[in-house]
Amino acid sequence: MDNNLTLQQFTSAVYSSKIQEFDPIQLGLYLLETGDFQQRWEVANLLPKLGNSIIDPLLKILENEEFDTEYRWFVGRILGKFNDTKIIISFVNLLQTTEEEELLTMAAEALGNMGIVAITNLEQLLMDDSSKLLAVKALAQIRHSETILPLLKIVDDPNPEIRAIAIESLGSFHDSQLIPVLIKALKDPIISVRKEAIIALGMQPEFKEEFELVKYLKPLLYDLNLEVCQQAAAALGRMKDDEATEILSQVLNSELTPLMLKKEVIKALNWTETPQALNYLQQALLREELEICQEIITILGIQKNEHLKLQATQILIDFLSSNKAVINNKTIKQSVAVSLGELGNTSAIYALNKLAEDPEKSVKLHAIAALKKLSNS
């Protein structure tokens, strides 16, 4: 079949009010499936003119993973021009199931474009327990301020998955009126809900003083779940606050703190971007075991602020001059060389020259590479 001729027939059928010899929907779907990109584009612009009767056949295509991605992408673009609850649910399902980047982007954009009309439909679905979870997932994708009120109605829902999604979505609005809701969720008995509340608050340091966020986040460093503790450390680091920095240093210093949490605390201290945080890292560097030392050395090497670069360089030079046994480890010496090279401060030349004379060949090579970086900077 000549697709160009068929396209002409389909175009005529769309704009004609006469009874057709053929089904224009089936003809359009045929062209959408078999046409080249340009033909598909033209058909996609015409099919919506046939009205709601095309929704069900298009949904069957969109939800069928056996069809090729481009075909389903065009179908999704067409469906995005309608405001129908079935389409909203289908897009939400697609977001949950597909790994195709093009389809994910298309579905997210479509939900966003549907806006307030979609929100009204979804709010009705929240009243039904059988559709509530899908409805809240859809609302979370839309990211429109009109979703706030519907989401607030379900932050205490018996289903923890629904609570977690609602909290995550509400946290994206950076609205001071929502902070008490997020603080309350920090005490939720379910891990996923607590984590979402921590993440949401951690991304809103502008409210730290008004709502005493550090005070509320601190207890989560001692949560029974390690992932919650790690998120709390990250959130406190984002506060860029002296009190939070002190709290993080106490956790890093504690012998009871698990290794994985210590690593997260080190990253969090670095996020504060303060000289005091680097002082705490220096103290830990002179006290901790090999794996933690390695983490601190790496973190010190990624400073961006010029003053902190100078401070980090001096910390590493002093570390090399100390009498700690861990300094004799070749991996540690290699890491110091790499970090000094990344920091790019010429005050490290003497220390790097000494490392370049190390009996370990790998240490020599890393030190020489760092010296070359300094000479080129």
Side-chain angles (χ1 to χ4, degrees), residues 45 106 139 147 185 200 217 255 351:
N45 288 329
M106 175 275 297
L139 286 169
T147 64
L217 288 168
E255 294 181 0

Side-chain angles (χ1 to χ4, degrees), residues 5-20:
L5 180 60
T6 307
L7 180 57
Q8 292 175 11
Q9 292 175 320
F10 174 67
T11 303
S12 297
V14 169
Y15 288 108
S16 174
S17 58
K18 297 178 181 178
I19 297 174
Q20 305 295 325

Side-chain angles (χ1 to χ4, degrees), residues 1-3 5-14 20 22-50 53-54 57-58 61 70-71 74-75 78:
M1 188 181 293
D2 183 343
N3 274 11
L5 180 60
T6 307
L7 180 57
Q8 292 175 11
Q9 292 175 320
F10 174 67
T11 303
S12 297
V14 169
Q20 305 295 325
F22 47 81
D23 183 351
I25 293 177
Q26 291 304 315
L27 189 58
L29 293 179
Y30 169 79
L31 287 166
L32 203 59
E33 181 177 8
T34 63
D36 59 27
F37 188 90
Q38 183 58 39
Q39 290 167 339
R40 283 175 161 177
W41 187 271
E42 292 182 39
V43 172
N45 288 329
L46 290 170
L47 267 173
K49 297 182 184 299
L50 296 176
S53 57
I54 69 168
L58 289 176
I61 297 165
E70 186 180 285
Y71 183 26
F74 271 108
V75 166
I78 298 167

Side-chain angles (χ1 to χ4, degrees), residues 290-349:
L290 188 145
E291 196 168 344
I292 292 300
C293 285
Q294 176 84 51
E295 189 77 19
I296 293 171
I297 292 164
T298 301
I299 286 292
L300 288 172
I302 62 172
Q303 304 306 307
K304 302 299 180 188
N305 177 283
E306 288 303 319
H307 292 296
L308 295 181
K309 278 186 176 184
L310 182 60
Q311 184 183 356
T313 300
Q314 192 58 53
I315 288 171
L316 292 172
I317 291 171
D318 292 345
F319 175 63
L320 284 174
S321 302
S322 68
N323 59 357
K324 297 296 177 181
V326 71
I327 296 167
N328 297 318
N329 182 281
K330 69 175 183 179
T331 304
I332 290 293
K333 287 188 281 188
Q334 287 172 197
S335 296
V336 170
V338 170
S339 285
L340 288 173
E342 291 297 324
L343 290 167
N345 198 289
T346 54
S347 62
I349 290 176

Side-chain angles (χ1 to χ4, degrees), residues 91-109:
F91 280 148
V92 175
N93 281 328
L94 188 64
L95 288 168
Q96 302 299 315
T97 58
T98 188
E99 295 180 359
E100 297 287 347
E101 191 65 35
E102 299 95 331
L103 295 180
L104 287 169
T105 303
M106 175 275 297
E109 287 180 355

